C-alpha cells in the first residue's frame, strides 16, 4: 500500500462531500531542531502534525519548531485566499502532548495566535508547573521572550486535560438533554462545566436548582461530550514529564490517527526485547493497554528515537525503540506506521536504515500477533509530508476497547447514540478537567505519604515531590497505618519490601478504611520488573493503583504520582459562575472595597463573630473574577486565595447560609488545598447581597466562619450569622454611597474646570472653541 498524496497541501480543494481526512507532518525531529546538509530529506523541525477532518475542523498536534511553517501557510491563506481561505484558516485546536521545549518552542512564533479575529482552543495536560496556560506562559516570560502571553491578539481558550474523551468541531448536537454525568452531578447538588458554543472547547455550565433559583439549562449543547467532527481520546504515556498520547477519529470518514510521541515502554525490558503480550486479559500490563489504545488505527505516528542496541544507555530517558514500536503496531493491527520523533543525531541515511530495520522486524514478528495486518506499511515521517486517510466503513470496530483503556478505573454511564453517528456504546469520562479546581503547582498533590525503609532511597523522590505538596516519610508501614485516618494523605507511595508489612498488605488494610481508604491512590515501588510481575496479580486484587519499578528517575516517580492522582476520583469541584456574573462583578467594583485599606468598622464585626461563634477564622470575603479577596480577616494572615479554592464562590449561589460540616467528607471540597492543607474543615458562609445599578441585588461575597474541626450551627446560630451579615451589608452600602459622592464631586469639579476653560478661550468667532497653540503664529486647532 502506498501513501496517498493530495494535489494540494491542506484541505482547500474539493466539496464537503468528497473531501477526505488529511494529515500533514510539519515537524518530525525529536529533542532539538537540526539543519544540516545530510538531514534535508527528512527535515530538522521538531514535532508538529496537522490533522484536518473531512468537515474542515483543524487539530494541531504539538507546537515544535515545525509549527512556524504551518503558521505562515495559514496567514498566507487567511489574507490572500479570499473569503473561503479566511474561513478555513481563522483558527482551530492545538493539542499539546507535554511541555518539554521541543514540543512547545514554536508556540511564541505561531503568527495566527497574534491575529485579532482568529480563534483558538489550546488543550494539554496539567503539569507540575500548573495549568497548560501557565506552562506556555513560562517560556514567554520577560527574560526569555519579548512578547508576553497576554498580548496575543487572537481569542485563545486554554483547557487542562486528563485521560478520557472529548470532541472538536461542529456537527449536529443533541440539544434536548444534558449528558447523564450532568444529571448525576445535579442529583448530588453540584453543577458540571461543559461546552457553551463560543468555541470548540469553551466552558458552559449545567447548574442545579439550588444554584440557579430553580431554572433549567436543558437547552445546552454539551458539544465537548456528545458530538463533533473529531473525537479525541487522551491516554497517559510513559515519560519523565506528564505526557498524553492522542487518538483522533474523524467522525465523518471513520479514519483514525494515533499520535504517540515521547513514550518509553512501561516494562523497560521491552525496549531491548520487544513487546510480548500478557497471556490472559486478566493479567493485562500497561504495555498491553498501550496496544489497545492504538488498536486498529489507520495511521500511527510513534516515537521511534532509539534502536534496541542503543537503549541500554538511554533507559529512563522516555523514548521507544524501533523494535518495540513495530511490535506494538503489529499487535494492534495498525494499517500504516510512521516512525517519528527522529533522534537529532540521525542523518537521512541513518533514518532510511531505521526503515530497513523496521521492515525486517515486521517480517520476523508478523506471525506472532493474531491482529497483525499482512499489508501494514512502514515509513519514516518527514517534514512537509502530506497524507490522505481513506474513508472507512461505518462500524464500531475497536472503539469501545480503546475507550476502556482511556478510562481505566472510571465508571461508565449509558448514553444514547448521537443521531446515528458512530459513537461508543457507553458514555465515556470527559478528558476536560476545566471543572476541577486549579491548584497552584505547590498545591498539586496535597499531602503525600512515602513508606520507605531507607531515608536515603526516599530522599530523591521527596526532593521532586516537595515542589508540589507536603511530603511525609514513614520508615514503618505500621506507623503510617496507625495515623492514616487522622492524616488522610492524598497519595501513598509504598516500597513493597519496606522491612515490615509488604506494600500489597498495606494497600489491603488501607482499602478497609471506609470511603477515603477505598479511593486514595496507592503506588507500589519494587526493586525490579521481575518483582513487579510476581506481585501484580495479588496487588491488583488488593486495589493497588499503579506500580513503579527500578530503574527509575525521581521525575518518573513524580509523573506516576500525577497520573495516579488524576485517575482517582476528583473530590474537588470549582464553583460554576453565577448567571448574573457580569452584573455581580460590576456591583462589586462599584463598592470601591477591592484592595482597599483595612477599616475598623468591618474588622469590628469579624472580631465579634469570632468570639460569638468561637471559631478561629472569620472573613468578609469578596468574590472577584479570579480570586476571593478579604476585606476583613480575623485569625488568618492571607489577604486572598484563588477563586477556584474559595468555598465562598459556592456560597454566593445560595440565598441563605451555606454550611459544610466536614469538608473532608464532601466530594466538592475534600481534595481542595485549603482542606488537605488543614486550613478548612468546617465552613459556614452567609452571602452579602448588594443593590446594583440595574436595581437588582447581587451576591458579591460572604461573611463566613471557618474552623479546623467538624461542627454544625443550630437555628439560633444561623439566625445570628444572618444578622451579622446584614450589618456587613449596611456597611458596604455606606461605602458605596461614599464612593458615589466622591465620584459626583469629582465630576462636578471636572465640569466646572472645563466650563471655565471654555469661557476663557471664547471670542474667536464667538464659537466657544478651545484654542491650542499660538493663533498669531498660525498654529491653531480647535477641539
Amino acid at each position: 500500500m502506498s501513501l496517498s498524496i493530495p494535489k494540494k497541501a491542506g484541505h482547500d480543494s474539493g466539496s464537503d462531500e468528497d473531501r477526505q481526512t488529511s494529515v500533514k507532518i510539519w515537524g518530525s525531529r525529536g529533542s532539538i531542531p537540526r539543519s544540516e546538509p545530510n538531514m534535508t530529506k527528512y527535515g530538522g523541525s521538531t514535532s508538529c502534525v496537522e490533522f484536518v477532518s473531512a468537515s474542515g475542523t483543524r487539530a494541531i498536534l504539538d507546537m515544535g519548531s515545525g509549527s512556524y511553517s504551518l503558521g505562515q501557510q495559514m496567514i498566507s491563506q487567511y489574507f490572500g485566499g479570499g473569503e473561503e481561505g479566511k474561513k478555513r484558516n481563522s483558527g482551530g485546536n492545538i493539542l499539546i502532548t507535554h511541555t518539554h521545549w521541543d514540543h512547545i518552542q514554536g508556540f511564541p512564533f505561531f503568527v495566527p495566535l497574534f491575529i485579532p479575529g482568529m480563534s483558538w482552543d489550546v488543550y494539554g495536560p496539567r503539569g507540575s508547573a500548573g495549568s497548560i496556560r501557565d506552562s506556555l506562559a513560562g517560556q514567554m516570560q520577560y527574560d526569555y521572550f519579548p512578547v508576553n502571553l497576554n498580548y496575543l491578539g487572537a481569542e485563545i481558550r486554554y483547557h487542562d486535560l486528563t485521560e478520557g474523551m472529548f470532541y472538536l468541531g461542529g456537527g449536529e448536537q443533541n440539544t434536548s438533554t444534558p449528558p447523564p454525568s450532568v444529571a448525576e452531578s445535579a442529583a448530588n447538588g453540584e453543577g458540571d462545566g461543559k461546552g457553551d458554543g463560543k468555541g470548540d472547547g469553551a466552558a458552559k455550565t449545567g447548574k442545579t436548582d439550588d444554584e440557579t433559583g430553580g431554572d433549567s439549562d436543558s437547552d445546552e449543547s454539551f458539544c465537548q461530550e456528545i458530538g463533533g467532527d473529531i473525537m479525541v481520546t487522551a491516554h497517559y504515556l510513559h515519560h519523565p514529564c506528564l505526557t498524553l498520547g492522542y487518538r483522533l477519529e474523524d467522525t465523518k470518514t471513520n479514519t483514525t490517527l494515533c499520535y504517540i510521541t515521547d513514550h518509553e515502554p512501561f516494562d523497560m525490558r521491552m525496549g531491548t526485547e520487544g513487546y510480548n503480550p500478557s497471556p490472559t486479559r486478566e493479567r493485562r500490563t500497561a504495555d498491553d493497554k498501550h496496544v489497545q489504545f492504538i488498536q486498529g488505527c489507520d495511521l500511527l505516528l510513534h516515537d521511534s528515537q532509539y534502536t534496541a542496541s542503543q537503549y541500554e544507555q538511554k533507559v529512563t530517558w522516555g523514548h521507544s525503540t524501533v523494535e518495540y514500536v513495530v511490535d506494538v503496531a503489529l499487535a494492534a493491527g495498525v494499517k500504516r506506521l510512521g516512525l517519528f520523533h527522529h533522534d537529532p543525531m540521525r542523518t537521512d541515511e541513518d533514518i532510511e536504515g531505521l526503515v530497513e530495520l523496521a521492515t525486517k522486524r515486521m517480517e520476523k514478528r508478523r506471525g506472532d500477533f493474531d491482529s497483525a495486518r499482512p499489508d501494514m506499511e512502514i515509513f519514516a515521517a518527514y517534514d512537509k509530508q502530506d497524507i490522505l486517510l481513506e474513508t472507512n466503513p461505518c462500524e464500531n470496530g475497536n472503539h469501545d476497547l480503546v475507550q476502556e483503556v482511556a478510562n481505566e478505573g472510571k465508571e461508565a454511564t449509558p448514553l444514547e447514540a448521537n443521531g446515528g453517528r458512530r459513537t461508543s456504546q457507553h458514555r465515556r469520562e470527559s478528558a476536560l478537567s476545566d471543572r476541577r479546581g486549579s491548584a497552584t503547582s505547590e498545591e498539586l498533590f496535597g499531602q503525600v505519604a512515602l513508606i520507605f525503609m531507607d531515608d536515603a532511597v526516599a530522599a530523591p523522590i521527596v526532593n521532586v515531590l516537595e515542589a508540589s505538596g507536603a511530603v511525609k516519610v514513614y520508615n514503618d508501614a505500621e506507623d503510617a497505618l496507625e495515623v492514616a485516618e487522622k492524616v488522610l494523605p492524598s497519595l501513598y507511595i509504598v516500597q513493597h519490601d519496606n522491612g515490615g508489612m509488604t506494600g500489597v498488605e498495606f494497600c489491603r488494610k488501607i482499602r478497609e478504611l471506609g470511603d477515603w481508604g477505598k479511593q486514595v491512590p496507592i503506588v507500589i515501588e519494587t526493586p525490579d520488573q521481575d518483582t513487579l510481575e510476581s506481585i501484580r496479580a495479588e496487588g491488583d486484587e488488593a486495589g493497588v493503583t499503579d506500580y513503579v519499578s527500578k530503574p527509575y528517575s525521581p521525575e518518573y516517580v513524580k509523573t506516576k504520582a500525577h497520573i495516579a492522582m488524576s485517575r482517582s476520583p476528583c473530590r474537588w469541584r470549582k464553583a460554576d459562575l453565577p448567571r448574573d456574573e457580569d452584573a455581580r462583578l460590576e456591583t462589586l467594583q462599584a463598592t470601591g472595597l477591592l484592595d482597599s485599606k483595612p477599616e475598623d468598622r468591618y474588622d469590628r464585626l469579624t472580631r465579634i463573630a469570632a468570639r460569638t461563634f468561637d471559631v478561629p477564622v472569620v472573613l468578609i470575603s469578596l468574590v472577584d473574577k479570579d480570586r476571593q479577596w478579604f476585606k476583613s480577616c480575623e485569625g488568618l494572615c492571607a489577604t486572598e486565595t484563588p477563586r477556584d479554592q474559595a468555598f465562598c464562590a459556592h456560597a454566593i449561589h445560595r440565598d441563605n447560609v451555606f454550611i459544610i460540616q466536614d469538608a473532608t467528607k464532601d466530594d466538592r471540597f475534600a481534595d481542595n488545598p485549603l482542606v488537605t492543607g488543614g486550613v478548612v474543615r468546617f465552613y459556614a458562609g452567609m452571602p452579602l447581597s448588594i443593590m446594583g445599578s440595574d436595581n437588582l441585588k447581587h451576591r458579591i461575597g460572604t461573611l463566613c466562619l471557618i474552623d479546623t474541626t467538624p461542627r454544625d450551627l443550630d437555628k439560633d446560630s444561623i439566625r445570628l450569622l444572618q444578622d451579622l451579615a446584614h450589618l456587613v451589608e449596611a456597611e458596604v452600602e455606606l461605602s458605596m454611597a461614599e464612593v458615589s459622592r466622591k465620584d459626583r464631586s469629582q465630576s462636578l469639579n471636572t465640569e466646572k474646570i472645563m466650563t471655565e476653560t471654555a469661557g476663557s478661550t471664547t471670542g474667536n468667532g464667538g464659537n466657544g472653541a478651545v484654542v491650542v497653540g499660538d493663533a498669531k503664529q498660525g498654529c491653531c486647532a480647535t477641539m
Side-chain angles (χ1 to χ4, degrees):
M1 180 185 295
S2 61
L3 296 178
S4 300
I5 307 299
K7 296 178 180 178
K8 182 178 179 181
H11 56 277
D12 293 328
S13 59
S15 66
D16 288 340
E17 288 71 22
D18 61 16
R19 188 177 295 124
Q20 293 178 272
T21 308
S22 67
V23 175
K24 181 152 187 169
I25 299 170
W26 293 93
S28 58
R29 187 70 60 169
S31 303
I32 189 171
R34 294 299 306 275
S35 178
E36 301 292 341
N38 58 0
M39 297 180 179
T40 56
K41 180 176 180 179
Y42 292 94
S45 296
T46 54
S47 302
C48 180
V49 173
E50 181 186 21
F51 180 96
V52 182
S53 74
S55 300
T57 297
R58 173 184 280 110
I60 301 172
L61 296 152
D62 278 333
M63 295 292 284
S65 63
S67 64
Y68 176 79
S69 295
L70 168 58
Q72 294 301 307
Q73 175 179 289
M74 287 187 65
I75 290 299
S76 175
Q77 295 177 358
Y78 183 80
F79 289 108
E83 288 300 318
E84 185 68 11
K86 188 168 186 178
K87 176 183 176 182
R88 292 189 178 280
N89 292 276
S90 60
N93 307 276
I94 297 172
L95 279 65
I96 304 294
T97 58
H98 64 302
T99 54
H100 281 168
W101 276 5
D102 55 322
H103 294 261
I104 63 172
Q105 61 196 173
F107 188 86
F109 300 93
F110 190 65
V111 178
L113 294 173
F114 291 80
I115 306 302
M118 287 194 171
S119 178
W120 293 92
D121 285 276
V122 180
Y123 302 83
R126 182 183 182 81
S128 59
S131 68
I132 185 64
R133 185 189 187 283
D134 294 336
S135 297
L136 293 173
Q139 69 168 344
M140 295 180 70
Q141 292 177 4
Y142 174 79
D143 289 342
Y144 310 115
F145 198 74
V147 180
N148 186 278
L149 187 71
N150 295 323
Y151 294 107
L152 299 180
E155 180 183 5
I156 306 174
R157 295 168 294 274
Y158 298 87
H159 311 276
D160 293 331
L161 295 181
T162 60
E163 286 182 322
M165 184 190 76
F166 62 104
Y167 285 88
L168 303 175
E172 295 179 3
Q173 304 300 326
N174 178 1
T175 60
S176 58
T177 57
S181 60
V182 178
E184 292 163 0
S185 298
N188 292 326
E190 190 64 42
D192 197 3
K194 306 295 175 192
D196 75 356
K198 293 181 179 179
D200 297 332
K204 193 172 186 177
T205 56
K207 302 178 178 65
T208 67
D209 288 349
D210 189 27
E211 293 182 332
T212 63
D215 294 327
S216 171
D217 282 342
S218 62
D219 61 336
E220 296 175 354
S221 65
F222 299 96
C223 62
Q224 294 171 333
E225 291 278 344
I226 63 173
D229 296 332
I230 302 173
M231 182 176 66
V232 182
T233 309
H235 180 59
Y236 285 122
L237 302 181
H238 195 217
H239 195 61
C241 172
L242 194 69
T243 304
L244 286 171
Y246 294 113
R247 183 183 179 102
L248 282 71
E249 179 180 339
D250 187 330
T251 57
K252 182 177 180 180
T253 62
N254 301 301
T255 50
T256 303
L257 163 69
C258 285
Y259 181 73
I260 309 294
T261 183
D262 291 53
H263 172 74
E264 185 165 9
F266 291 95
D267 181 345
M268 296 181 185
R269 296 174 301 184
M270 293 186 181
T272 53
E273 300 171 9
Y275 168 73
N276 287 292
S278 298
T280 64
R281 180 176 172 82
E282 290 71 24
R283 296 291 301 275
R284 286 182 306 163
T285 66
D287 289 289
D288 294 330
K289 295 170 187 175
H290 181 64
V291 169
Q292 287 177 265
F293 181 68
I294 63 176
Q295 193 83 33
C297 69
D298 296 281
L299 175 61
L300 170 63
L301 298 177
H302 200 298
D303 168 18
S304 311
Q305 187 154 344
Y306 305 134
T307 64
S309 61
Q310 296 170 326
Y311 182 67
E312 288 186 3
Q313 305 301 319
K314 313 289 186 178
V315 174
T316 75
W317 285 29
H319 297 286
S320 292
T321 63
V322 172
E323 292 85 350
Y324 171 82
V325 172
V326 171
D327 290 355
V328 297
L330 288 169
V334 169
K335 289 184 180 179
R336 304 178 189 175
L337 168 61
L339 306 181
F340 190 76
H341 206 270
H342 307 309
D343 191 275
M345 297 301 293
R346 294 207 194 281
T347 64
D348 293 336
E349 184 179 355
D350 293 334
I351 293 175
E352 288 170 353
L354 291 184
V355 176
E356 183 179 349
L357 172 65
T359 303
K360 291 180 179 178
R361 179 76 177 188
M362 176 179 64
E363 297 302 327
K364 176 182 178 181
R365 297 223 58 192
R366 195 196 310 270
D368 296 338
F369 305 103
D370 293 337
S371 298
R373 295 178 62 94
D375 57 350
M376 185 178 83
E377 180 179 1
I378 298 177
F379 65 95
Y382 60 87
D383 295 0
K384 309 292 180 65
Q385 181 178 11
D386 294 300
I387 305 171
L388 287 181
L389 303 183
E390 298 175 358
T391 300
N392 287 323
C394 185
E395 57 184 18
N396 202 33
N398 296 297
H399 177 64
D400 280 335
L401 195 60
V402 170
Q403 288 300 324
E404 178 186 343
V405 176
N407 294 285
E408 190 73 25
K410 298 179 180 179
E411 182 180 357
T413 308
L415 179 66
E416 294 181 357
N418 179 31
R421 180 182 291 118
R422 176 187 178 197
T423 62
S424 166
Q425 295 176 356
H426 298 84
R427 182 212 167 244
R428 304 303 178 183
E429 188 77 10
S430 173
L432 294 156
S433 63
D434 295 349
R435 68 187 180 90
R436 297 186 176 201
S438 55
T440 62
S441 59
E442 290 76 15
E443 299 163 333
L444 191 57
F445 291 137
Q447 184 175 107
V448 179
L450 265 63
I451 303 176
F452 276 68
M453 183 169 55
D454 188 344
D455 286 341
V457 176
I461 301 174
V462 172
N463 289 338
V464 298
L465 290 179
E466 280 184 329
S468 300
V471 182
K472 171 68 176 175
V473 179
Y474 299 89
N475 299 124
D476 190 318
E478 292 284 358
D479 292 343
L481 186 63
E482 184 177 343
V483 298
E485 290 188 284
K486 180 179 179 181
V487 178
L488 299 177
S490 300
L491 170 74
Y492 282 103
I493 301 176
V494 186
Q495 194 174 43
H496 181 65
D497 299 314
N498 57 67
M501 72 174 76
T502 67
V504 172
E505 290 171 348
F506 177 83
C507 178
R508 189 175 289 113
K509 290 182 180 295
I510 288 292
R511 297 302 183 215
E512 296 171 355
L513 300 179
D515 291 340
W516 164 81
K518 291 181 176 69
Q519 296 178 351
V520 62
I522 301 176
V523 177
I524 301 296
E525 187 261 12
T526 64
D528 51 56
Q529 191 71 29
D530 289 333
T531 303
L532 191 161
E533 293 304 322
S534 70
I535 69 167
R536 183 186 293 277
E538 183 185 7
D540 290 349
E541 182 182 358
V544 173
T545 307
D546 204 351
Y547 307 84
V548 58
S549 64
K550 293 180 179 176
Y552 57 73
S553 65
E555 290 75 19
Y556 255 121
V557 178
K558 182 173 183 176
T559 300
K560 286 278 190 179
H562 272 277
I563 293 173
M565 290 287 289
S566 70
R567 284 175 173 166
S568 66
C570 178
R571 303 183 69 204
W572 171 24
R573 300 179 190 172
K574 68 180 183 181
D576 293 329
L577 295 178
R579 290 187 174 183
D580 65 341
E581 178 69 359
D582 290 342
R584 192 192 68 80
L585 289 174
E586 180 183 329
T587 303
L588 175 58
Q589 291 292 336
T591 65
L593 294 177
L594 288 174
D595 299 308
S596 61
K597 295 180 179 180
E599 297 179 66
D600 190 58
R601 55 178 172 159
Y602 291 103
D603 294 340
R604 184 185 303 115
L605 294 173
T606 53
R607 287 197 300 269
I608 291 173
R611 305 303 182 273
T612 301
F613 295 99
D614 191 25
V615 292
V617 177
V618 178
L619 307 171
I620 296 175
S621 172
L622 304 178
V623 182
D624 199 2
K625 181 179 180 180
D626 298 312
R627 60 173 178 162
Q628 64 169 347
W629 181 80
F630 307 137
K631 174 58 182 172
S632 181
C633 180
E634 177 70 18
L636 199 66
C637 295
T639 58
E640 63 181 61
T641 73
R643 180 169 175 170
D644 288 355
Q645 298 176 17
F647 284 60
C648 299
H650 292 261
I652 61 174
H653 283 280
R654 278 88 177 161
D655 288 321
N656 214 320
V657 178
F658 177 52
I659 299 175
I660 302 297
Q661 298 175 359
D662 187 348
T664 64
K665 297 180 179 180
D666 192 306
D667 285 344
R668 293 166 295 180
F669 303 104
D671 291 334
N672 186 311
L674 297 177
V675 178
T676 59
V679 178
V680 181
R681 191 82 179 261
F682 162 80
Y683 173 91
M686 177 62 194
L688 304 174
S689 297
I690 302 299
M691 189 70 71
S693 60
D694 54 2
N695 292 322
L696 295 174
K697 285 200 170 185
H698 303 284
R699 305 182 192 108
I700 64 169
T702 71
L703 172 67
C704 65
L705 315 176
I706 294 173
D707 205 341
T708 54
T709 58
R711 56 183 296 176
D712 199 0
L713 294 181
D714 57 28
K715 291 184 178 179
D716 290 338
S717 297
I718 291 174
R719 189 176 299 111
L720 187 55
L721 180 58
Q722 292 170 334
D723 291 340
L724 285 172
H726 292 325
L727 292 177
V728 175
E729 289 172 346
E731 293 296 341
V732 173
E733 289 169 355
L734 287 174
S735 294
M736 289 184 71
E738 293 171 4
V739 171
S740 180
R741 282 196 298 271
K742 290 179 181 178
D743 288 345
R744 284 199 302 271
S745 176
Q746 184 176 357
S747 178
L748 289 172
N749 288 337
T750 301
E751 184 178 343
K752 182 179 179 182
I753 292 171
M754 291 293 292
T755 301
E756 291 175 351
T757 302
S760 66
T761 57
T762 58
N764 295 285
N767 60 1
V770 179
V771 178
V772 181
D774 189 347
K776 294 181 180 180
Q777 299 280 331
C779 179
C780 180
T782 59
M783 294 171 54

